[in-house]
């Protein structure tokens, strides 16, 4: 009896192989041949699911964003402040796999300067996260901002928390800040917000 | 009469060409041939000044850090809080050249996962900037931290400001935050610190 083909699973398998290639060789090192070898499938199958190399690279960026969002949805039952801490601290790399994941994300960030489609995916993801964090801050009945700051306090605080998280992630990635220190700092900020 | 060779100038010219190649093709796209073409010199001359491709890539990373530090030294006469704002806001990209520069920096960040020498240069640069910011915060007679935060308040605040700056830089780079908004937010934080 032929195995029932799970298209979503096959796509995921190829995207994971793509991330592996990006982590090791950068986005410029991506070729259908490399990804096919890493996934253990034919280049024809990759083309069947994703079309061109460019479309595959873009799908990998969208999948990165979707994967973070999926993790967030699992926190639905938690109180707002706990969900907020999840959003801002989930990207802090805690092991080699986390570091590889974040380096793929930075590879896309670097790429965004020459690739409008990638830039748009990253920009929308960041803006979506900001809106969601602002919503959580309001739900927690919080939203303080430094004196003299203009704008919606919850949105300003959301922007501040996310920027802080991105900056601390970078520090942990280059290895001069401990993941536990970064997470503790974010927890302090979430508690104070 | 032969032109007197300015070695520093030649090295700088090659490093600028390297940055251009990285901005356009990523670090994995760097070859001595590409950099030579971009600099308008022979590959032999690049090898004369830098040795291998790997040594050139690392020199480009160190030069990036040195260039930021050079800009900082020029603010020596300014009051501490103004210098602090310079350190944290100088990397916010304000034009295409700034965006290209920051994307080169992110290319090195992504690279750091597979390159210990690059990671060490970036880590030392970040730690150096943190120490200098903490010094400026103390000199300004400031250094507040959110209630319940552990550690040296000036160092905690320095870490917070730099992480915030890195996170806002990323937002401006992907184009969903205005450089003026990012700088205003940093100015608010420096004022409140």
């Amino acid at each position: 009896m032929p195995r029932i083909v799970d298209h979503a699973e096959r796509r995921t398998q190829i995207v994971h192989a793509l991330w592996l290639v990006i982590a090791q060789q950068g986005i410029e090192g991506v070729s259908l041949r490399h990804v096919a070898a890493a996934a253990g499938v034919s280049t024809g199958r990759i083309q069947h699911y994703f079309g061109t190399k460019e479309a595959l690279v873009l799908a990998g960026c969208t999948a990165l964003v979707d994967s973070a969002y999926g993790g967030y949805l699992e926190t639905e039952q938690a109180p707002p402040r706990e969900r907020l801490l999840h959003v801002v601290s989930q990207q802090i790399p805690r092991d080699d796999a986390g570091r590889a994941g974040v380096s793929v994300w930075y590879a896309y960030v670097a790429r965004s300067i020459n690739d409008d489609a990638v830039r748009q995916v990253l920009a929308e993801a960041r803006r979506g996260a900001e809106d969601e964090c602002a919503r959580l801050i309001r739900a927690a009945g919080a939203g303080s901002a430094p004196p003299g700051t203009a704008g919606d306090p919850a949105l300003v605080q959301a922007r501040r928390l996310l920027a802080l998280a991105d900056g601390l992630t970078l520090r942990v990635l280059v290895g001069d800040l401990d993941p536990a220190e970064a997470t503790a700092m974010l927890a302090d900020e979430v508690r104070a917000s």
Side-chain angles (χ1 to χ4, degrees), chain A:
Chain A
M1 208 172 73
R3 191 177 170 280
I4 292 163
V5 178
D6 181 334
H7 291 288
E9 198 180 297
R10 289 231 169 130
R11 286 181 65 95
T12 302
Q13 176 196 10
I14 293 168
V15 164
H16 285 179
L18 167 72
W19 290 346
L20 194 73
V21 171
I22 293 177
Q24 287 170 348
Q25 306 182 50
I27 291 180
E28 288 74 17
V30 171
S31 70
L32 291 182
R33 203 167 48 80
H34 281 146
V35 176
V41 302
S42 68
T43 57
R45 179 172 294 175
I46 299 183
Q47 283 169 317
H48 170 72
Y49 281 111
F50 294 96
T52 63
K53 182 182 88 172
E54 287 66 33
L56 172 65
V57 165
L58 186 61
C61 187
T62 310
L64 208 58
V65 170
D66 289 349
S67 146
Y69 190 62
Y72 170 68
L73 288 181
E74 288 173 17
T75 67
E76 209 174 353
Q77 303 304 322
R81 230 179 269 270
E82 206 172 295
R83 299 192 80 189
L84 189 59
L85 184 58
H86 173 89
V87 177
V88 298
S89 65
Q90 51 88 21
Q91 66 183 6
I92 304 282
R94 281 167 193 85
D95 50 26
D96 282 350
R99 263 188 297 278
V102 173
S103 97
V104 170
W105 187 58
Y106 278 116
Y108 277 110
V109 169
R111 171 79 166 201
S112 71
I113 183 129
N114 289 321
D115 190 324
D116 280 341
V118 164
R119 179 159 59 208
Q120 208 169 323
V121 170
L122 293 178
E124 274 170 23
R126 233 55 204 133
R127 209 168 268 275
E130 184 173 283
D131 287 344
E132 192 56 27
C133 285
R135 204 185 62 73
L136 291 171
I137 289 169
R138 284 185 211 106
S144 70
T149 310
D152 171 0
L155 204 66
V156 169
Q157 178 63 357
R159 179 166 295 172
R160 198 148 140 258
L161 275 173
L162 281 170
L164 196 61
D166 283 341
L168 292 174
T169 298
L170 193 150
R171 293 284 299 268
V172 173
L173 184 70
V174 302
D176 81 318
L177 187 66
D178 191 74
E181 275 183 280
T183 309
M185 198 161 168
L186 289 169
D188 282 342
E189 294 278 337
V190 165
R191 208 177 301 124
S193 68

